[in-house]
Structure formats: structure tokens, C-alpha cells
């Protein structure tokens, strides 16, 4: 990618003046005014701006990104040189964001001519364009060619160049409104190709042994069902069982079961008996020897409730998970950020009705946190968790949500926030119903559970991580004391588990021994820890 023209502008003031006026590419306006970054974490350099508050950025691959002052952004050229070709050749390019080559030459030329005539009413552009093109060595292209370049560049914006507000994490809108293929179509493309190969009898073992390709082939078979697919479905089912219980294993069992062949019952039974997870996940399956109609009924009921034949009906997380497995990380990230932005906006609109917020958003926020963590994007996971915490009504759920929030804040290096979150968590432990007198008893035995152990461990983890921050010295001492007090309240088994987990950390071990010496046996109980949901 070339930035030859940018170097010339920086070296020759006369050319820079021409670029700034009348073509509104001003090297002196390179300050965007707010902190922004790419969702991918890629490099971004502001190089120029315009008189509307928009800014031009060069990305790591040389592409030029334009961000306006209204919260929209898009790639406008595959290189700085290409972007300048567009800016100089289409001085009213903002008015042409909706044009595409499919509109045809006549419509494109008419639209460009109309815009340029309006510009000429105020100042010249023709001689200036000729001079600037010659000075920068830019080729002379027709309006149709330039619109084609701009259109192709804009379509590259997402997912790799999704622009975020660096502080709040929300994504900029797309600069254009051209339609994009749905996420499922992009993710499923390889699966459809692989399903065709399987139907042709090619690469059965190679594909079946590749978890990502196998899953996509099964998804492709879900939406393109054919009678002759039974042998390949059996093959994929056997291999998917090696991954234990997955959505695709259940799908493979359903697709095989829908054919209703009694001879498949032993295979399905064998798959169900793979381990405890598969035994639970394929519950209700007919035993070998059952009537084929019973098998079809079982498969049809699961298909109706969990699958179906329209990819647009699948949850977002199906496609983001499969995109991640394929290595399409930025595609998954962009889709998840857009969904979180939508929830964030709706939550803002619903702020006067907390029950509406809970109904609409609570079921999606926890999976969003999980998916962002799977992508290694703690920043966005933290953003989702902040929305999730206020929606929790039970004391147990609030404490679990606050614990997860504190962990994410610690991992993001927001140690002061993590300490404050842990303080709120302790307040909830002390007064589960918040003084409302509702009699919430969900935290009645937290001292004997995994949740209690996780709470203590997170207190010590925050104290250890913040220990070198002199500005937080008092807060670190307070959270360390609180950790010791909470540790002393744990049952014997839970306390022993925490001590064993933290035994390798010198500073923590000292704190534990100090607490033990101060109050031998405090909070110790011989009762076993009852099974509880995880803190996450």
C-alpha cells in the first residue's frame, strides 16, 4: 500500500494548501478530539482532518479510515494514495456514500455532476484538481471508477476496522448504509463447501477429524437436508462424540434420528453413553429396540425446540462461536460489540422501567460476557458485566455478579474500581435484602460453598495485584483485612481449600497464618461443602 502522496503533501506546503482547500484534506487538523481505537487493537495514526470535525487515519495495513464528528467511520481507500484519488476526484464524496457500481454509469455521472455544480457556485475545483493530481502523481479516473473504489473500500470497514470510543467501548456506526451479508452467511460458507465435498465422497476422515470443519458441515446439513445424507451424518456423529457434549453433537443425533431407522438406535445409544455430559445432553433418547416412530418423534421434538431449518433463526452466539473456531476472531468480536451496543442503547431508553430492562437484556448479557472472555476481550466483557450487575434481584446472584465484575476490573488493571466493587459485595453479604425486609435467604450458607471460597480468593488477588500502587495503600490494607475476616468465616473445608489454593503465594500465606494465629479455628467447620453453582 502506497503513501507516496502523503509524503509529498508533508514535504511541499503548496500541495498541502491545495489539498486543504478546496479538497478538505487538511494536515493541520489531525486532532480528532476524542480517544478512539480499533476493536482489533491494530495501529491507527491520525494524519489529517476536515472542516466538519472529521479525521483521516492510516491503519496498520495502509488503509485510510475516515471518522466523522457524528460517530460514524469507514474505510475510504486501500491506501492513502487511493483515498486521495477519491477525495480529489470526488470533492463531494460525502454525498456519494450511497452510490454503488450497480447503480450504473448514467446515475453515477449525473449525481457527481450535480454535486460538483453546487460546489462550483462557491469556489473552483477544476484547475485545482488538475494541479493537485499532477503534483501528487495521481491518475485521472472517471467518476464511475472512483465510486467503485470508494464502494469497495467502505465494504472492508467491518470487521477488521471497526472503530470504538476508547473510553466507553461503543462502536462507531458505519459511514455508509450498503447492505452486508448476514453473519451466518459468512460463517457458514466453508461449511457448505465441505458438505458438498462430503456428498461427493471426498475428505470424509480429514473433515471428520477437524472439529471446526466438522461443526460447520453439520450446521450446513441442518439447513440443507437431503435423504442421501444419512451415511455422512452417521460418520460425523461418531467423530463429534469425541468432543463430548456439544450443540453440534445433539444436532448430529437429531439429524440421524429424523431419518427414523431402527438400525441407528444402537449407534445413538453408544454416543449417549460416551460420558456423563452426553448422557445428560441426549436425555430422553429411545433405547435400542424401540419403535422407529418413537425415534423420529424424539428427534422432531428436539429439532422443533432447538434447531430448525432457517439459519436466521439461530442465536447470535451460535455463529460467533463458530466464527471464533474458524479463526474469524474480528468477525465474531464485531458482531458481539454491535449486539452489546444495541443492549446498552435499549437499556438507556428503558432506564425508567428496570423490569423491562431485566426482561430484555438479562438473558443475553451473561453469555456476552462469556463470549468476550473467550475472545480475550476483557474490556468488552467488563462493559457487559457492568450492565449485568444491576439486573440481579437475588442476593446470591448479585454477589456472584459483583464477584465477576471485580475479577474483570482487576484483570483490566482497574484496581480502585475492583476494591470498590468488593466493598459493595461485602455490603450485600452483610445485608442480603438491602434493608428491604424481603427475607432473601439465598446467601444463608455462603460460608460453606465454592462461592465463599471464590470471594476470599478474589479479595487476596486484588490486594496482591494492587500492593505496589502507593496511591491505593489504605484501600489495599482494608481489602486485606476484609479478606482475613472473610476467610475466618468460611467453614473448615472451604477454608482449607482456600489456604491450599493460596499456599504458593508468600504474601498471602503470611496473611493467612496471621489470621489463624489471631483466632485459631475461627469459622472452621467439619461439614463438607455442599454443591453450589459456580461464582461465574
Amino acid at each position: 500500500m502506497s503513501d507516496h502522496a502523503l509524503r509529498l503533501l508533508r514535504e511541499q506546503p503548496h500541495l498541502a494548501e491545495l489539498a486543504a482547500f478546496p479538497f478538505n484534506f487538511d494536515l493541520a487538523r489531525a486532532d480528532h478530539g476524542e480517544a478512539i481505537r480499533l476493536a482489533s487493537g491494530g495501529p491507527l495514526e491520525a494524519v489529517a482532518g476536515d472542516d466538519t470535525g472529521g479525521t483521516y487515519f492510516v491503519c496498520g495495513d495502509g488503509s485510510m479510515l475516515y471518522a466523522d464528528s457524528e460517530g460514524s467511520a469507514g474505510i475510504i481507500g486501500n491506501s492513502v494514495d487511493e483515498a486521495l484519488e477519491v477525495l480529489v476526484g470526488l470533492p463531494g464524496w460525502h454525498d456519494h456514500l450511497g452510490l454503488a457500481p450497480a447503480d450504473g454509469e448514467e446515475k453515477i455521472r449525473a449525481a457527481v455532476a450535480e454535486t460538483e455544480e453546487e460546489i462550483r457556485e462557491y469556489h473552483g475545483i477544476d484547475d485545482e484538481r488538475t494541479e493537485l493530481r499532477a503534483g501528487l502523481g495521481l491518475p485521472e479516473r472517471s467518476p464511475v471508477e472512483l465510486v467503485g473504489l470508494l464502494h469497495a473500500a467502505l465494504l472492508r470497514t467491518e470487521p477488521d476496522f471497526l472503530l470504538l470510543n476508547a473510553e466507553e467501548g461503543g462502536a462507531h456506526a458505519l459511514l455508509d448504509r450498503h447492505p452486508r451479508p448476514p453473519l451466518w452467511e459468512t460463517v457458514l460458507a466453508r461449511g457448505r463447501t465441505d458438505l458438498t465435498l462430503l456428498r461427493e465422497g471426498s475428505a470424509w476422515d480429514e473433515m471428520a477429524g477437524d472439529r471446526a470443519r466438522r461443526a460447520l458441515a453439520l450446521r450446513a446439513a441442518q439447513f440443507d437436508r437431503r435423504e442421501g445424507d444419512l451415511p455422512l451424518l452417521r460418520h460425523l456423529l461418531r467423530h463429534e462424540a469425541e468432543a463430548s457434549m456439544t450443540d453440534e453433537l445433539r444436532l448430529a443425533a437429531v439429524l440421524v434420528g429424523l431419518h427414523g431407522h431402527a438400525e441407528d438406535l444402537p449407534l445413538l445409544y453408544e454416543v449417549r453413553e460416551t460420558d456423563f455430559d452426553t448422557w445428560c445432553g441426549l436425555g430422553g433418547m429411545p433405547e435400542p429396540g424401540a419403535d422407529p416412530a418413537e425415534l423420529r418423534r424424539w428427534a422432531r421434538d428436539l429439532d422443533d425446540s432447538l434447531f430448525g431449518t432457517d439459519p436466521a433463526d439461530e442465536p447470535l452466539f451460535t455463529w460467533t462461536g463458530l466464527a471464533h473456531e474458524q479463526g474469524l476472531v474480528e468477525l465474531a468480536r464485531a458482531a458481539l460489540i454491535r449486539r452489546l451496543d444495541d443492549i446498552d442503547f435499549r437499556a438507556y431508553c428503558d432506564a425508567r422501567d428496570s423490569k423491562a430492562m431485566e426482561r430484555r437484556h438479562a438473558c443475553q448479557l451473561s453469555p456476552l460476557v462469556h463470549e468476550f472472555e473467550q475472545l480475550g476481550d476483557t474490556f468488552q466483557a467488563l462493559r457487559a458485566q457492568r450492565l449485568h450487575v444491576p439486573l440481579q434481584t437475588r442476593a446470591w446472584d448479585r454477589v456472584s455478579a459483583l464477584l465477576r465484575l471485580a475479577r474483570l476490573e482487576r484483570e483490566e488493571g482497574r484496581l480502585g474500581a475492583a476494591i470498590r466493587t468488593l466493598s459493595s459485595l461485602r455490603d450485600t453479604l452483610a445485608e442480603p435484602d438491602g434493608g428491604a425486609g424481603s427475607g432473601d435467604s439465598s446467601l444463608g450458607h455462603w460460608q460453606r460453598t465454592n462461592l465463599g471460597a471464590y470471594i476470599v480468593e478474589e479479595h487476596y488477588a486484588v490486594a496482591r495485584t494492587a500492593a505496589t500502587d502507593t496511591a491505593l495503600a489504605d484501600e489495599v490494607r482494608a481489602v486485606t483485612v476484609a479478606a482475613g475476616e472473610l476467610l475466618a468465616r468460611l467453614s473448615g473445608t472451604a477454608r482449607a481449600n482456600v489456604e491450599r489454593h493460596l499456599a504458593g503465594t508468600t504474601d498471602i500465606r503470611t496473611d493467612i497464618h496471621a489470621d489463624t494465629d489471631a483466632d485459631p479455628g475461627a469459622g472452621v467447620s467439619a461439614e463438607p461443602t455442599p454443591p453450589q453453582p459456580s461464582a461465574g
Side-chain angles (χ1 to χ4, degrees):
M1 298 299 180
S2 172
D3 62 353
H4 173 72
L6 181 60
R7 290 197 302 273
L8 289 175
L9 290 177
R10 287 170 169 169
E11 293 167 359
Q12 300 187 36
H14 175 63
L15 294 179
E17 290 173 8
L18 270 179
F21 184 82
F23 300 104
N24 220 357
F25 183 85
D26 191 343
L27 298 181
R29 294 179 181 266
D31 181 8
H32 189 56
E34 67 173 355
I36 48 85
R37 67 178 180 86
L38 292 178
S40 66
L44 203 60
E45 178 193 2
V47 295
D50 61 25
D51 60 10
T52 68
T55 309
Y56 298 94
F57 300 88
V58 179
C59 304
D61 71 340
S63 298
M64 177 160 280
L65 179 82
Y66 175 79
D68 66 21
S69 59
E70 304 299 320
S72 298
I75 295 293
I76 61 170
N78 292 333
S79 67
V80 178
D81 286 7
E82 185 178 292
L84 283 167
E85 284 187 51
V86 171
L87 301 184
V88 175
L90 300 173
W93 67 274
H94 290 86
D95 296 335
H96 307 319
L97 293 170
L99 290 175
D103 292 319
E105 181 174 349
E106 183 178 352
K107 180 178 179 179
I108 291 172
R109 287 187 179 277
V112 171
E114 180 180 356
T115 299
E116 293 195 354
E117 281 305 310
E118 293 175 357
I119 294 173
R120 290 187 185 98
E121 292 179 7
Y122 301 96
H123 55 76
I125 54 174
D126 298 303
D127 293 342
E128 293 83 354
R129 177 159 49 199
T130 299
E131 183 178 358
L132 189 55
R133 274 176 171 164
L136 298 179
L138 301 178
E140 183 175 347
R141 297 185 189 270
S142 72
V144 177
E145 288 180 282
L146 293 170
V147 165
L149 290 175
L150 177 60
H151 177 72
L154 289 167
L155 292 181
R156 293 181 54 238
T157 303
E158 203 164 305
D160 292 327
F161 303 99
L162 181 64
L163 192 65
L164 306 181
N165 178 293
E167 295 179 0
E168 298 175 1
H172 284 54
L174 289 171
L175 198 60
D176 69 283
R177 297 295 180 265
H178 295 299
R180 267 76 169 176
L183 175 65
W184 64 261
E185 187 173 304
T186 304
V187 174
L188 201 56
R190 183 171 184 180
R192 287 171 162 168
T193 299
D194 282 349
L195 181 59
T196 299
L197 291 174
L198 288 169
R199 286 170 173 165
E200 294 171 351
S202 303
W204 275 38
D205 291 333
E206 175 189 347
M207 207 170 303
D210 185 320
R211 157 64 196 163
R213 294 181 69 184
R214 184 174 68 238
L216 283 171
L218 282 166
R219 289 294 176 176
Q222 175 186 349
F223 306 115
D224 181 14
R225 303 180 183 192
R226 300 186 187 180
E227 189 65 32
D229 284 348
L230 184 56
L232 67 89
L233 292 172
R234 290 168 177 159
H235 187 68
L236 295 175
L237 172 62
R238 289 189 183 94
H239 283 79
E240 188 62 23
E242 298 172 4
S244 189
M245 192 61 234
T246 64
D247 288 339
E248 284 72 36
L249 178 65
R250 188 181 285 114
L251 171 62
V254 164
L255 293 176
V256 169
L258 286 171
H259 286 80
H261 290 277
E263 60 265 32
D264 287 322
L265 281 167
L267 169 62
L268 290 166
Y269 183 79
E270 178 186 343
V271 168
R272 191 189 73 175
E273 297 298 306
T274 300
D275 55 36
F276 181 72
D277 289 337
T278 55
W279 186 84
C280 294
L282 297 175
M285 179 187 292
E287 302 284 333
D291 189 294
E294 188 180 347
L295 173 60
R296 278 194 296 270
R297 185 163 50 251
W298 171 83
R300 190 165 51 248
D301 288 347
L302 275 181
D303 190 30
D304 291 343
S305 62
L306 297 176
F307 299 110
T309 58
D310 187 348
D313 291 338
E314 283 291 323
L316 170 71
F317 303 116
T318 295
W319 302 118
T320 55
L322 291 169
H324 187 198
E325 282 195 57
Q326 287 187 76
L328 302 175
V329 173
E330 296 312 318
L331 185 66
R333 191 197 314 274
L336 292 169
I337 290 174
R338 291 292 188 195
R339 176 61 58 86
L340 179 55
D341 283 353
D342 181 60
I343 293 174
D344 201 355
F345 175 74
R346 292 177 184 274
Y348 172 78
C349 294
D350 292 342
R352 296 179 182 178
D353 185 353
S354 60
K355 290 184 178 179
M357 284 176 61
E358 183 175 355
R359 283 196 304 272
R360 292 184 184 185
H361 313 314
C363 62
Q364 293 191 42
L365 283 168
S366 186
L368 272 170
V369 176
H370 173 75
E371 291 297 315
F372 280 124
E373 287 200 88
Q374 291 294 106
L375 294 177
D377 196 335
T378 311
F379 179 86
Q380 294 292 347
L382 175 56
R383 183 177 160 223
Q385 186 66 11
R386 283 177 178 152
L387 289 173
H388 183 60
V389 168
L391 304 181
Q392 308 313 303
T393 55
R394 277 200 331 150
W396 178 284
D397 297 332
R398 285 200 306 278
V399 166
S400 297
L402 286 166
L403 179 61
R404 192 182 203 180
L405 178 62
R407 174 178 60 80
L408 290 168
E409 288 170 335
R410 170 174 58 82
E411 291 175 356
E412 270 291 290
R414 304 184 183 211
L415 302 177
I419 290 171
R420 291 189 294 274
T421 297
L422 290 178
S423 177
S424 297
L425 185 157
R426 295 194 300 277
D427 289 344
T428 305
L429 290 177
E431 199 168 9
D433 61 4
S438 61
D440 187 337
S441 60
S442 58
L443 286 171
H445 301 287
W446 68 267
Q447 302 93 331
R448 297 161 51 194
T449 68
N450 288 336
L451 177 61
Y454 298 152
I455 290 169
V456 174
E457 290 173 3
E458 187 58 36
H459 274 72
Y460 279 121
V462 169
R464 182 172 61 249
T465 307
T468 58
D469 190 336
T470 56
L472 294 174
D474 292 341
E475 289 87 347
V476 169
R477 279 192 290 272
V479 81
T480 304
V481 169
E485 293 171 348
L486 291 168
L487 178 66
R489 295 175 65 186
L490 296 183
S491 71
T493 302
R495 178 172 181 166
N497 289 340
V498 172
E499 291 178 339
R500 184 163 50 250
H501 183 264
L502 299 175
T505 307
T506 303
D507 54 337
I508 298 300
R509 184 171 62 248
T510 302
D511 292 332
I512 291 172
H513 289 168
D515 294 331
T516 304
D517 293 340
D519 187 5
V524 176
S525 169
E527 309 125 52
T529 305
Q532 294 286 343
S534 72

